[in-house]
Amino acid sequence: MSDKVYIFDTTLRDGEQSAGVGFTIEDKLEVARQLARLNVDIIEAGFPFSSPGDFEAVSLIAREVRGPMIAGLARAHPDDVDSCWNAVSQAETPRIHVFISASEIHMAHQLRKNREDVMEMARAAVARAKSYCEDVEFSPMDATRSDREFVYQLLQAAIEEGATTVNIPDTVGYALPQEFGELIAAVRENVPDIDRARISVHCHNDLGMATANSLSGVLNGARQVEGAINGIGERAGNTSIEEVIMAISTRGDFGHVHTNVKTDELYRASRIVERVSGMAVQSNKAVVGRNAFRHSSGIHQDGVLKLRETYEIMDPASIGIPVGDSIVLTKVSGRHGLRARIADLGVELDEEALGRVYDAFKDVADRKDEVDDRDLQAILSEQAQVQVQEQWQLDLVQVSAGDHSSPTATVRLLDPEGELQQDAAIGTGPVDAIYQAINRVMNVENELTEFSVKSVTEGIDAVGEVTIRIEASGRTYTGRAADTDILVASARAYMHALNRYLNTTAPQAAAATG
Ligand code: KIV
Ligand code: ZN
């Protein structure tokens, strides 16, 4: 009989700690809903004490999202634990996740506490969490660089106070797979009451070992794995949870384990997180990269055409990857065809949303012979962004550029009162001219920190996807848009980022963790 491995997704907490990423409340809810569709076991929705915005986001997810357990993170302080409980208490099944540093280097230089203090704080915080909530997780931060005896003592104390899950974080991504596996085995041997709790692993990817370490933990008895979609997170990121899920699904025979995840929702989860985080997934990324199932050499293509399994260890359909190239929509395709194709991609739209997507589709189809699933995904992403309340809307953008003229842009925007406002500007290039013109109309102080364009499909008529980041009032906001005209996409992406800024009330998360 195979054992279940619980999947704990921390995209919305540790994932949000990626440099330059700041989710809005709407982003968080959208990701949480997709994680529920994916059927992960636990969603760590945020760190409620860190900011009023995060408190609000965790509370909203706890109220709205059903299925997975909803966890919040708390330092081992009474106020953190209370705030965490207030945020998660309305969840169907809430969890409080308490953590405290356990390594000498963290205790001496960061916490400025000795072992006795840390032990006392851990006990008190877990006991307090338990007084509110049946399900409590405890993490000794930086466990892989901590004295093992002390880790065992902390875990035993946490279990005595009621922790139901004990997590072993490789906070700085220092461990190697064999060593990490041995640590998990040693925890099982040396913590007297370990059978009363589930062992979890939480790995970071500084040496590119996060997935391997997590699996090594599972092979040695861990039954919960923590990670983030696309592996986003602090520094080099967290464990890519989709890699662990597919490794278990493909090679569960090896460890006699399984998960309850609906793997065919993984691709969609990856695209949503890519869009809202603004962190592009590398093409050759395992499982969800655009090239993960594309075959280039003649020998491989020949093999796959004869029998897919010759060169594919996973069926792309099991990850929910659209079969793009075989189904093509053109400008003569009707609403029914479009609706059916969208349904195949696993997206449900009401009539109004379908109408908007249909108009956007027609617009692309007029400029492009064939609209395949990748174009459609870009259109759907774009439309999902329109749901972000747009205080200002782009009505027109016109650009004049060339090697013998100064790049000049005219923009016309619809302001929040529904009035049209227009201005023009000269820039160092056409995109700069557009942004200067928008700045003249909207007058929002910000700095553009990142700008990237990539084509969604091949060919000169490809849809271009523009991702930008701006900094305003000390926070980073991402904007993204797709169009066959990259200048139009650039203008929309900028408007998207500015609207997100105008919609956000949340201050930057104050307390950082690992
Ligand atoms: O990496 C880490 O140690 C963490 C803890 C809060 C679990 O994220
Ligand atoms: Zn972490």
Side-chain angles (χ1 to χ4, degrees):
M1 244 267 293
S2 97
D3 266 5
K4 173 173 167 176
V5 173
Y6 286 73
I7 297 297
F8 177 110
D9 184 281
T10 185
T11 308
L12 297 176
R13 196 279 296 170
D14 220 333
E16 195 184 20
Q17 290 176 214
S18 310
V21 171
F23 296 137
T24 61
I25 274 192
E26 293 83 7
D27 293 339
K28 283 198 150 197
L29 191 58
E30 185 185 359
V31 172
R33 290 204 160 117
Q34 177 59 18
L35 292 172
R37 263 182 234 118
L38 191 58
N39 206 31
V40 301
D41 298 285
I42 303 110
I43 297 174
E44 188 168 47
F47 185 0
F49 192 76
S50 68
S51 76
D54 219 25
F55 180 90
E56 206 188 316
V58 177
S59 313
L60 182 69
I61 290 168
R63 282 197 305 275
E64 298 278 320
V65 177
R66 291 293 173 253
M69 182 178 277
I70 306 298
L73 184 70
R75 288 173 302 181
H77 292 304
D79 292 348
D80 267 54
V81 174
D82 293 356
S83 159
C84 185
W85 174 242
N86 288 335
V88 297
S89 58
Q90 290 187 52
E92 202 171 33
T93 328
R95 170 179 290 188
I96 299 177
H97 177 190
V98 174
F99 76 100
I100 190 162
S101 289
S103 63
E104 293 302 325
I105 184 168
H106 278 207
M107 289 189 292
H109 299 283
Q110 192 186 11
L111 270 186
R112 308 250 155 90
K113 303 269 182 218
N114 61 30
R115 287 190 186 193
E116 289 70 38
D117 299 332
V118 166
M119 175 62 81
E120 210 174 290
M121 288 168 76
R123 267 194 187 278
V126 172
R128 193 175 185 97
K130 189 73 179 184
S131 73
Y132 297 129
C133 188
E134 178 43 40
D135 199 293
V136 176
E137 173 168 335
F138 172 72
S139 293
M141 184 149 87
D142 205 13
T144 50
R145 293 192 303 167
S146 304
D147 175 65
R148 283 200 180 181
E149 284 304 321
F150 185 52
V151 170
Y152 306 148
Q153 287 162 16
L154 276 173
L155 298 181
Q156 175 63 19
I159 294 170
E160 283 168 10
E161 300 301 338
T164 40
T165 299
V166 287
N167 182 38
I168 308 299
D170 184 24
T171 305
V172 290
Y174 179 69
L176 299 178
Q178 190 175 352
E179 181 190 25
F180 191 69
E182 279 165 6
L183 173 60
I184 302 304
V187 163
R188 288 179 73 194
E189 251 169 48
N190 292 289
V191 177
D193 285 326
I194 196 67
D195 290 342
R196 287 165 52 195
R198 183 173 298 132
I199 301 178
S200 169
V201 288
H202 174 112
C203 299
H204 280 264
N205 206 30
D206 300 65
L207 292 174
M209 300 287 166
T211 298
N213 284 344
S214 302
L215 291 171
S216 178
V218 169
L219 292 178
N220 283 281
R223 288 295 177 263
Q224 174 177 293
V225 176
E226 305 195 354
I229 298 287
N230 299 340
I232 66 169
E234 211 44 271
R235 307 180 309 280
N238 282 81
T239 301
S240 288
I241 203 70
E242 67 279 5
E243 292 177 9
V244 170
I245 291 165
M246 288 315 292
I248 290 177
S249 155
T250 310
R251 296 305 317 273
D253 59 320
F254 193 66
H256 306 292
V257 288
H258 67 275
T259 74
N260 276 2
V261 168
K262 292 189 179 130
T263 58
D264 58 0
E265 289 289 345
L266 279 172
Y267 187 71
R268 194 167 158 212
S270 167
R271 295 311 312 269
I272 291 174
V273 171
E274 182 181 45
R275 167 167 51 80
V276 300
S277 67
M279 293 185 72
V281 173
Q282 76 196 52
S283 303
N284 62 336
K285 166 88 177 58
V287 181
V288 288
R290 281 163 187 74
N291 286 355
F293 294 92
R294 298 176 83 194
H295 305 272
S296 167
S297 102
I299 296 175
H300 288 217
Q301 288 178 347
D302 180 53
V304 169
L305 287 172
K306 288 178 174 143
L307 180 69
R308 187 186 57 73
E309 287 84 348
T310 50
Y311 288 96
E312 282 181 359
I313 57 164
M314 296 170 270
D315 182 349
S318 71
I319 295 156
I321 295 186
V323 271
D325 297 339
S326 54
I327 290 108
V328 167
L329 295 163
T330 67
K331 65 179 172 190
V332 293
S333 305
R335 264 170 202 261
H336 288 306
L338 181 67
R339 186 201 292 276
R341 203 57 228 121
I342 289 173
D344 284 349
L345 296 178
V347 180
E348 285 163 31
L349 295 178
D350 58 25
E351 279 307 317
E352 197 192 327
L354 180 69
R356 278 199 309 271
V357 170
Y358 185 68
D359 290 345
F361 157 72
K362 281 289 198 192
D363 196 33
V364 173
D366 269 345
R367 287 176 277 161
K368 200 170 182 280
D369 292 345
E370 295 176 344
V371 179
D372 72 19
D373 284 357
R374 290 168 293 167
D375 298 310
L376 221 43
Q377 293 271 16
I379 293 171
L380 289 166
S381 294
E382 169 94 5
Q383 290 305 313
Q385 280 161 199
V386 173
Q387 316 287 342
V388 170
Q389 209 211 339
E390 287 198 313
Q391 302 199 31
W392 288 79
Q393 287 170 36
L394 182 71
D395 183 58
L396 168 146
V397 55
Q398 232 168 33
V399 186
S400 136
D403 60 356
H404 282 82
S405 67
S406 306
T408 312
T410 304
V411 298
R412 197 164 65 212
L413 310 183
L414 202 61
D415 74 12
E417 275 76 48
E419 301 288 326
L420 285 173
Q421 295 200 34
Q422 177 164 318
D423 215 324
I426 295 177
T428 51
V431 174
D432 185 49
I434 294 170
Y435 288 12
Q436 302 287 352
I438 292 176
N439 286 345
R440 287 173 69 93
V441 178
M442 287 180 65
N443 208 13
V444 174
E445 206 173 307
N446 75 90
E447 192 190 338
L448 180 71
T449 53
E450 244 180 90
F451 176 90
S452 70
V453 191
K454 73 171 192 287
S455 73
V456 175
T457 49
E458 304 78 18
I460 195 74
D461 57 356
V463 170
E465 203 167 54
V466 173
T467 304
I468 65 153
R469 288 213 173 87
I470 60 167
E471 261 179 44
S473 304
R475 286 200 63 169
T476 302
Y477 298 86
T478 304
R480 185 176 272 229
D483 199 282
T484 48
D485 183 328
I486 57 166
L487 293 176
V488 174
S490 304
R492 287 218 207 104
Y494 191 45
M495 296 291 297
H496 181 228
L498 291 171
N499 275 313
R500 285 167 71 124
Y501 165 64
L502 295 173
N503 286 347
T504 309
T505 47
Q508 185 73 285
T513 60

